[in-house]
């Protein structure tokens, strides 16, 4: 069905009233890499958001951290990081987890600026994250509040799902323990450094290293192209 | 420039823990960290292969480990190094801009930081410390054309004093003395009365006696005055030349403090006359006194030694020796040259032995025949820094065969008294009982000749072991001609016995040096790991043994000290000079490590625990292993040991 969705989008006329960054984004998305592109040539953006809670409609994004992976290398030079100004955000429980104090958040940038920067950063790269659907939904919610009619349409890879898929070739949902596929558990299992967790950037960096590991594992399982990875 | 974000800051922090990155200015390092790429390597993944064109990056291990191997003609790759966290490799691309000379393979799952060369090059050119790091060959598997341990040593000294705590004591700096007001002099026919008056007027502890050309003829000190005049040996109106000490010990202007100190200790004087060219044949400019040195230096070895020489109470020796240890630590911390430190410590130890012998002679009465006390092993080689085991022997005159047993009984008692005093001073008894208190090693000259005759002509394993211990003997006290006679005898026999040197050379190859450090392990050539490093057996003894056999092969007599032996060898064999100097340098570095390790752990320092070493220390030590294996190869070839069973 994905091909049909994509086709429909491409046929739809571009939103003439949309801001320039969104028009650039829409144009970029028209040129996706072919599905038989080898993984070594694909561009990924690994990202994570810190939010006031887990409700996709009510809660808000407090910070975004993102880093690019290209040629199977994590590019420390290509990173995106921002704190987002959110009113009343400090009162939430999540703030304690992330250690983001209201004072810090006041130093953040307006939501519109944050989402614009992020969208410019990702372009048509494959989005990667731990439970990436949630983070994409949160970004979409930000877009919506900025009055943009449209959502992120990048290809995406959920590192937790990918790990399950690669480790358990005949997945049995009954015996699956989700706790074993948390970012902490995965980093631990794959012996990856996990300093500075629980900031958006720290998690994005850890997830990027996890992605490298999983891509290497994928190669061994015969997953060699973008198409095979995102299916 | 954009400020760094969390990720870049994390990379920066990691790099900043390791040399050479910790030598880079923080802002420049941050900019560099921003350009790092992270690579994941699965086990046995090849990052680059020997002969590959150099990458645009060089690498640092973030996690895991990477093997560097070189193809050999035999087919089996030769392991060059194993890199672990923080190790820099693949720098051939950076330094030589040539194809890789080895293959890098991950030994396990690894994360590797790739540092762009374009971004690093400016740092390399403008930061001399960083340049020195690479010049010294600290990066793993780095092909150093001329293995430059000297650079490594310079780099180690330079890099390790990044956080200096105390104001360095510039022992090796030139010592400045004010020569203008300092010279109190008179002609030789001056009366003692007048000289004493002048000394008292000028509040001087000495009077230099000079000829018409201001050249020093002798010196009169307040001690001389006291001893000679007050005791009534001379008349107060006699000329000073009657009682002056001559010749005068002289020095060049502004001598290194270390030289001045050694001069004073050697000649047992407290004044050095400074002359224009440093000899008695030029104008006297001033006088350098022990007091000048004391002021410049605080706890002074010359003072310790004179205390040892003068103390009436033998029980005060241990306390004095403990102070010498403090001095040692201070010297080591301040990177004073090892040969100087070894010199000082040897003088101190010798003074204690002499004092102990004098005490024993007083207790037992005059020795029945002449004898000579020999120090063996590291003490014999003048390279003992820490108080390790006692190794000594005693040789006495062949006089009356019938009384030999009686004589030996006296010297055994003497040996036992000295042994116990040394024990109190912190020198453990030799576990193998190689001490003059053991009848076997307290013998008349003819028996010692017999021992060496047997060892040389029947070089069994035990004989070779004995040779390597006893050969490095050094006479410390008594009749030195006995020691000389023994040395002559040994040389004569070694010249005659052609099989001896090859056997001794083979003995020197018994323990090959390890390859590298890896985490808390020593990497052996075979690839296995060991967790403690016996620096004495695995690194120092091979060099000591090699220096000994090569010196003998070159017919050099009378040089015991390992780095002096190598120096001598470098003169005699210019084609190998570079290697010999490397070996000497390696030996000095190891002596320093061992001494520091011993002081750190309050033991002999012999066993190094790799996890007590920082990265730079490991890399420094690793760089000393190379000359050892090179020297061993040289022995192998020179003595054709492949043909020796």
């Amino acid at each position: 069905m994905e091909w049909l969705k994509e086709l429909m989008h491409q046929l739809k006329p571009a939103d003439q009233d949309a801001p320039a960054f969104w028009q650039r984004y829409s144009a970029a998305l028209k040129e996706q890499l072919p599905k038989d592109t080898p993984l070594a040539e694909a561009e990924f953006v690994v990202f994570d958001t810190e939010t006031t809670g887990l409700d996709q409609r009510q809660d808000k994004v407090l910070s975004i951290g993102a880093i690019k992976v290209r040629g199977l290398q994590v590019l420390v030079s290509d990173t995106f990081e921002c704190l987002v100004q959110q009113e009343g955000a400090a009162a939430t429980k999540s703030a304690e987890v992330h250690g983001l104090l209201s004072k810090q958040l006041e130093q953040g940038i307006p939501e519109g600026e944050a989402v614009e920067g992020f969208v410019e950063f990702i372009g048509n790269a494959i989005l990667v994250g731990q439970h990436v659907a949630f983070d994409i939904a949160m970004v979409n919610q930000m877009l919506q509040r900025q009055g943009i009619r449209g959502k992120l349409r990048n290809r995406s890879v959920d590192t937790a799902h990918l790990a399950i898929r690669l480790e358990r070739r005949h997945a049995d949902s009954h015996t699956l323990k989700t706790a074993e596929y948390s970012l902490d558990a995965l980093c631990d299992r794959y012996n990856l450094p996990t300093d500075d967790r629980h900031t958006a950037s720290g998690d994005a960096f850890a997830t990027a290293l996890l992605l490298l590991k999983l891509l290497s594992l994928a190669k061994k399982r015969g997953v060699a192209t973008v198409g095979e990875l995102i299916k | 420039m954009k400020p760094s974000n969390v990720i870049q800051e994390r990379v920066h922090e990691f790099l900043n823990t390791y040399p050479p990155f910790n030598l880079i200015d923080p802002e420049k390092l941050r900019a560099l960290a921003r350009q790092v790429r992270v690579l994941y390597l699965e086990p046995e993944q090849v990052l680059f292969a020997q002969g590959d064109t150099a990458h645009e990056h060089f690498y640092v291990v973030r996690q895991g480990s990477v093997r560097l191997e070189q193809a050999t003609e035999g087919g089996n790759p030769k392991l060059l190094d194993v890199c672990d966290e923080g190790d820099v490799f693949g720098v051939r691309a950076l330094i030589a801009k040539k194809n890789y000379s080895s293959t890098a393979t991950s030994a396990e799952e690894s994360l590797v930081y790739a540092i762009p060369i374009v971004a690093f090059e400016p740092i390399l050119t403008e930061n001399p410390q960083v340049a020195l790091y690479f010049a010294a060959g600290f990066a793993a598997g780095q092909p150093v054309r001329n293995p430059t341990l000297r650079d490594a040593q310079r780099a180690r000294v330079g890099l390790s004093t990044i956080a200096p705590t105390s104001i360095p004591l510039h022992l090796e700096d030139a010592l400045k003395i004010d020569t203008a007001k300092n010279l109190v002099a008179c002609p030789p026919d001056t009366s003692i009365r007048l000289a004493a008056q002048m000394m008292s007027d000028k509040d001087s502890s000495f009077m230099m006696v000079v000829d018409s050309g201001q050249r020093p003829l002798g010196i009169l000190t307040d001690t001389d005055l006291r001893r000679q005049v007050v005791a009534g040996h001379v008349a107060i109106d006699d000329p000073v030349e009657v009682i002056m000490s001559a010749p005068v010990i002289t020095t060049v202007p502004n001598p290194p403090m270390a030289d001045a100190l050694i001069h004073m200790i050697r000649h047992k004087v407290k004044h050095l006359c400074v002359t224009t060219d440093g000899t008695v044949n030029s104008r006297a400019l001033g006088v350098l006194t022990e007091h000048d040195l004391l002021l410049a230096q605080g706890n002074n070895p010359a003072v310790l030694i004179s205390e040892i020489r003068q103390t009436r109470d033998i029980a005060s020796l241990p306390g004095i020796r403990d102070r010498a240890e403090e001095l040692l630590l201070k010297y080591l911390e301040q990177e004073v040259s090892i040969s100087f430190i070894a010199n000082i410590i040897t003088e101190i130890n010798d003074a204690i032995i002499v004092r102990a012998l004098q005490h024993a002679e007083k207790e037992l009465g005059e020795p029945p025949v002449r004898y000579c006390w020999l120090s063996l092993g590291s003490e014999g080689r003048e390279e003992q820094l820490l108080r390790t085991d006692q190794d000594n022997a005693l040789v006495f005159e062949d006089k009356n065969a019938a009384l030999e047993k009686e004589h030996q009984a006296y010297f055994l008692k003497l040996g036992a008294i000295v042994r116990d005093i040394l024990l109190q001073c912190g020198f453990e008894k030799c576990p193998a009982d190689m001490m003059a208190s053991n009848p076997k090693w307290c013998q008349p000259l003819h028996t010692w000749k017999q021992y060496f005759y047997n060892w040389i002509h029947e070089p069994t394993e035990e004989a070779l072991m004995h040779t390597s211990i006893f050969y490095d003997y050094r006479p410390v006290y008594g009749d030195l001609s006995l020691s000389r006679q023994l040395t002559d005898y040994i040389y004569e026999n070694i010249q005659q016995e052609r099989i001896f040197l090859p056997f001794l050379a083979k003995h020197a190859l018994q323990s090959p040096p390890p390859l590298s450090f890896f985490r808390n392990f020593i990497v052996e050539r075979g690839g296995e790991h060991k967790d403690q490093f016996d620096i004495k057996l695995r690194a120092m003894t091979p060099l000591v043994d090699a220096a000994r056999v090569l010196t003998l092969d070159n017919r050099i007599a009378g040089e015991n000290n390992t780095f002096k032996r190598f120096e001598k060898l470098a003169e005699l064999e210019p084609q190998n000079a570079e290697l010999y100097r490397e070996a000497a340098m390696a030996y000095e570095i190891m002596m320093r490590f061992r001494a520091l390790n011993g002081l750190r752990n309050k033991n002999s320092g012999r066993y190094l625990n790799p996890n007590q070493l920082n990265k730079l220390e490991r890399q420094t030590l690793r760089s000393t292993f190379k000359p050892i294996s090179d020297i061993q190869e040289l022995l192998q070839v020179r003595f054709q040991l492949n043909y020796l069973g």
Side-chain angles (χ1 to χ4, degrees):
Chain A
M1 289 301 281
E2 204 199 347
W3 65 272
L4 187 63
K5 266 196 262 171
E6 259 179 40
L7 186 66
M8 296 299 288
H9 268 294
Q10 282 176 22
L11 292 175
K12 242 199 275 180
D15 185 350
Q16 297 297 325
D17 301 331
F21 84 88
W22 190 252
Q23 292 193 29
R24 278 196 296 277
Y25 170 75
S26 303
L29 266 239
K30 282 181 185 154
E31 289 164 30
Q32 298 263 22
L33 288 170
K35 288 199 170 175
D36 60 357
T37 306
L39 289 176
E41 288 167 30
E43 180 173 280
F44 301 89
V45 166
V46 187
F47 81 111
D48 184 53
T49 60
E50 303 301 343
T51 59
T52 54
L54 296 174
D55 185 327
Q56 292 182 11
R57 279 159 302 158
Q58 297 296 318
D59 283 309
K60 305 230 171 103
V61 171
L62 297 174
S63 70
I64 309 175
I67 185 162
K68 274 186 189 159
V69 171
R70 196 189 308 131
L72 301 180
Q73 301 180 350
V74 178
L75 308 182
V76 177
S77 55
D78 279 346
T79 49
F80 174 84
E81 182 181 79
C82 68
L83 290 178
V84 187
Q85 282 173 3
Q86 299 289 7
E87 277 170 37
T92 65
K93 278 187 214 154
S94 207
E96 286 160 31
V97 176
H98 308 316
L100 293 175
L101 302 171
S102 53
K103 221 179 203 152
Q104 282 177 291
L105 290 173
E106 280 163 21
Q107 293 164 356
I109 53 175
E111 191 175 77
E113 212 175 293
V115 76
E116 176 176 342
F118 179 70
V119 168
E120 296 263 45
F121 180 73
I122 62 173
N124 66 359
I126 301 169
L127 295 179
V128 181
Q130 184 73 357
H131 305 297
V132 72
F134 173 77
D135 298 281
I136 292 176
M138 291 307 290
V139 174
N140 283 337
Q141 180 220 62
M142 288 168 91
L143 285 168
Q144 199 183 7
R145 254 202 307 282
Q146 297 307 312
I148 287 164
R149 288 185 291 131
K151 293 179 174 181
L152 295 182
R153 288 180 289 110
N154 301 58
R155 292 162 174 163
S156 66
V157 173
D158 181 338
T159 40
H161 286 168
L162 184 59
I164 294 168
R165 178 177 149 203
L166 294 170
E167 282 182 18
R168 305 161 60 92
R169 293 153 91 179
H170 306 288
D172 177 353
S173 57
H174 296 294
T175 60
L176 185 74
K177 292 197 183 73
T178 45
E180 288 174 14
Y181 292 90
S182 69
L183 185 53
D184 278 326
L186 285 167
C187 286
D188 200 38
R189 185 146 77 245
Y190 291 128
N191 191 26
L192 298 165
T194 53
D195 33 41
D196 210 54
R197 287 286 325 282
H198 300 301
T199 66
S201 284
D203 277 6
F205 193 30
T207 311
L209 299 177
L210 175 61
L211 175 69
L212 291 186
K213 160 78 203 181
L214 292 174
L215 289 178
S216 145
L217 204 59
K219 204 172 115 197
K220 279 191 209 150
R221 300 264 187 276
V223 178
T225 64
V226 170
E228 287 159 340
L229 184 72
I230 59 171
K231 85 173 171 200
Chain B
M1 199 176 282
K2 274 198 315 184
S4 293
N5 60 40
V6 169
I7 294 174
Q8 294 162 341
E9 201 47 46
R10 214 49 70 235
V11 173
H12 167 250
E13 272 168 28
F14 174 80
L15 291 178
N16 200 27
T17 356
Y18 292 103
F21 303 104
N22 57 1
L23 305 169
I24 301 173
D25 165 73
E27 272 322 300
K28 292 199 168 112
L29 184 58
R30 271 200 184 84
L32 187 70
R34 281 199 280 272
Q35 303 187 55
V36 160
R37 295 171 169 214
V38 190
L39 279 68
Y40 168 85
L41 304 176
E42 56 190 76
E44 300 307 314
Q45 185 176 337
V46 173
L47 179 58
F48 54 76
Q50 191 173 341
D52 278 3
T53 318
H55 295 177
E56 287 169 3
H57 299 83
F58 68 96
Y59 302 95
V60 186
V61 179
R62 168 64 183 87
Q63 193 171 49
S65 58
V66 173
R67 278 196 319 270
L68 299 176
E69 286 160 322
Q70 207 162 42
T72 58
E73 284 168 23
N76 282 336
K78 183 175 147 204
L79 183 64
L80 293 182
D81 213 330
V82 188
C83 311
D84 63 39
E85 195 174 298
D87 275 330
V88 174
F89 67 101
V91 294
R92 204 167 159 80
L94 173 70
I95 311 279
K97 316 256 182 231
K98 286 194 179 140
N99 294 353
Y100 289 112
S101 61
S102 61
T103 298
T105 313
S106 53
E108 60 190 305
E109 280 189 308
S110 303
L111 288 172
V112 168
Y113 283 179
I115 318 271
I117 285 165
V118 179
F120 196 78
E121 263 170 345
I123 295 173
L124 191 63
T125 47
E126 74 197 25
N127 185 327
Q129 280 187 307
V130 174
L132 193 53
Y133 178 91
F134 287 103
F138 278 138
Q142 193 180 337
V144 218
R145 276 155 303 152
N146 253 328
T148 42
L149 257 191
R150 198 164 295 271
D151 279 341
Q153 170 70 349
R154 265 203 307 147
R156 192 189 56 75
V157 172
L159 307 181
S160 65
T161 48
I162 291 158
T165 45
S166 53
I167 307 146
L169 172 109
H170 295 290
L171 253 186
E172 285 165 310
D173 279 4
L175 179 69
K176 299 258 188 305
I177 52 161
D178 190 351
T179 49
K181 68 166 190 215
N182 182 285
L183 187 65
V184 183
C186 66
D189 55 1
T190 312
S191 72
I192 294 172
R193 184 198 300 275
L194 181 56
Q197 185 61 52
M198 284 166 72
M199 283 167 69
S200 137
D201 287 350
K202 298 217 172 174
D203 195 22
S204 169
S205 64
F206 64 89
M207 168 66 75
M208 189 57 63
V209 182
V210 294
D211 66 10
S212 54
Q214 283 279 310
R215 289 180 288 261
L217 292 171
I219 186 168
L220 183 69
T221 65
D222 52 355
T223 335
D224 295 337
L225 276 179
R226 235 189 350 260
R227 225 181 292 149
Q228 307 272 6
V229 183
V230 181
H233 295 311
V234 290
I236 191 88
D237 289 314
D238 284 351
V240 287
E241 61 185 330
V242 178
I243 59 164
M244 70 183 186
S245 310
V248 179
I249 309 302
T250 51
T251 173
V252 290
N254 299 330
M257 192 186 239
D259 287 356
L261 204 49
I262 286 178
H263 253 63
M264 286 189 189
I265 295 169
R266 283 269 152 83
H267 298 287
K268 302 185 188 177
V269 298
K270 290 181 177 144
H271 301 82
L272 295 178
C273 181
V274 181
T275 61
T276 323
D277 69 356
T279 73
V280 289
N281 302 316
S282 61
R283 267 177 69 93
L285 300 173
V287 169
L288 185 58
T289 67
E290 189 181 44
H291 185 68
D292 294 332
L293 284 185
L294 198 66
L295 285 183
Q297 211 206 335
N299 205 358
N300 182 323
V303 171
L304 290 179
I305 288 169
S306 76
E307 273 184 57
I308 293 170
R309 282 185 184 144
Q310 284 160 20
T311 182
R312 286 171 196 284
D313 182 10
I314 212 78
S316 64
L317 289 180
I320 301 174
R321 187 57 185 77
D322 287 342
R323 274 160 58 205
E325 198 108 313
E326 288 165 26
L327 199 64
L328 171 65
L329 183 62
K330 205 161 79 181
Y331 285 162
L332 288 171
E333 279 171 353
Q334 285 158 354
E335 301 286 351
V336 176
S337 90
I338 281 290
S339 56
F340 171 75
I341 304 178
N343 245 322
I344 293 290
I345 299 293
T346 302
E347 296 285 351
I348 290 174
N349 290 347
D350 283 2
I352 288 181
I353 294 170
V354 171
R355 188 69 195 81
L357 280 164
Q358 287 167 340
H359 172 79
E361 282 183 17
K362 215 167 133 198
E363 296 262 298
L364 300 173
E366 288 285 304
V369 289
R370 291 176 303 141
Y371 75 98
C372 185
W373 182 273
L374 306 173
S375 279
L376 311 174
S378 60
E379 181 67 18
R381 289 189 300 273
E382 304 183 50
E383 51 200 40
Q384 192 180 74
L385 297 185
L386 294 169
R387 286 174 279 186
T388 51
D389 302 341
Q390 300 182 28
D391 285 311
N392 48 55
L394 190 146
V395 51
F396 56 92
E397 210 178 349
D398 298 327
K399 212 167 185 181
N400 187 337
L403 292 176
E404 226 160 60
K405 279 282 155 213
E406 218 170 284
H407 296 163
Q408 192 194 33
Y410 172 90
F411 290 117
L412 283 174
K413 277 189 236 157
L414 186 90
I417 292 174
V418 173
R419 177 196 63 205
D420 293 342
I421 292 173
L422 290 181
L423 188 62
Q424 276 164 11
C425 290
F427 297 91
E428 291 295 320
K429 283 191 242 179
C430 172
D433 205 10
M434 282 166 182
M435 293 182 289
S437 54
N438 178 349
K440 202 172 171 195
W441 311 124
C442 180
Q443 291 287 349
L445 182 60
H446 70 88
T447 310
W448 277 108
K449 286 182 178 171
Q450 190 60 45
Y451 284 165
F452 274 96
Y453 182 90
N454 294 345
W455 294 336
I456 291 167
H457 297 288
E458 273 174 68
T460 60
E461 204 43 49
E462 199 198 357
L464 290 166
M465 191 195 72
H466 280 135
T467 311
S468 56
I469 294 165
F470 285 95
Y471 180 74
D472 294 335
Y473 64 78
R474 184 172 57 89
V476 173
Y477 184 72
D479 185 351
L480 306 193
S481 74
L482 291 170
S483 145
R484 245 191 326 270
Q485 287 175 53
L486 183 58
T487 307
D488 292 344
Y489 177 82
I490 294 170
Y491 267 92
E492 224 168 87
N493 276 275
I494 288 175
Q495 311 294 349
Q496 288 163 8
E497 184 54 84
R498 296 190 50 188
I499 195 65
F500 176 70
L501 283 185
F503 269 101
L504 196 62
K506 188 162 173 272
H507 181 78
L509 299 186
Q510 275 179 343
S511 28
L515 185 70
S516 185
F517 287 92
F518 174 63
R519 295 191 186 139
N520 297 330
F521 295 101
I522 315 301
V523 184
E524 300 289 355
R525 249 145 239 287
E528 0 127 42
H529 290 159
K530 246 175 54 176
D531 54 1
Q532 251 196 351
F533 179 42
D534 183 345
I535 190 171
K536 181 184 174 199
L537 182 71
R538 299 300 305 282
M540 299 176 76
T541 306
L543 285 178
V544 170
D545 287 350
R548 183 187 304 115
V549 69
L550 287 165
T551 320
L552 277 171
D553 190 40
N554 273 290
R555 303 178 182 213
I556 308 167
E559 189 51 81
N560 275 6
N561 184 267
T562 302
F563 27 82
K564 285 189 191 143
R565 279 175 171 168
F566 278 124
E567 256 166 48
K568 199 88 194 168
L569 287 166
E571 282 168 32
L572 292 170
E573 299 176 22
Q575 71 280 16
N576 297 318
E578 188 68 28
L579 175 56
Y580 291 145
R581 297 214 170 91
E582 293 288 321
M585 182 68 74
Y587 193 71
E588 285 194 29
I589 292 174
M590 291 184 287
M591 278 179 72
R592 184 183 297 276
F593 266 91
R594 180 174 174 187
L596 282 170
N597 185 51
L599 291 173
R600 209 186 270 176
N601 296 308
K602 304 213 181 318
N603 58 25
S604 75
R606 175 170 174 176
Y607 297 98
L608 285 180
N609 191 345
N611 62 29
Q612 281 190 349
L613 301 174
N614 66 33
K615 200 86 200 168
L616 191 66
E617 290 172 326
R618 290 179 195 204
Q619 289 169 343
T620 307
L621 263 185
R622 182 181 61 193
S623 64
T624 65
F625 298 157
K626 182 84 171 85
I628 304 175
S629 51
D630 288 351
I631 283 270
Q632 293 195 333
E633 222 162 272
L634 183 140
L635 290 180
Q636 191 90 33
V637 174
R638 177 161 309 175
F639 296 98
Q640 304 191 336
L641 297 180
N642 293 330
Y643 303 106
L644 203 67

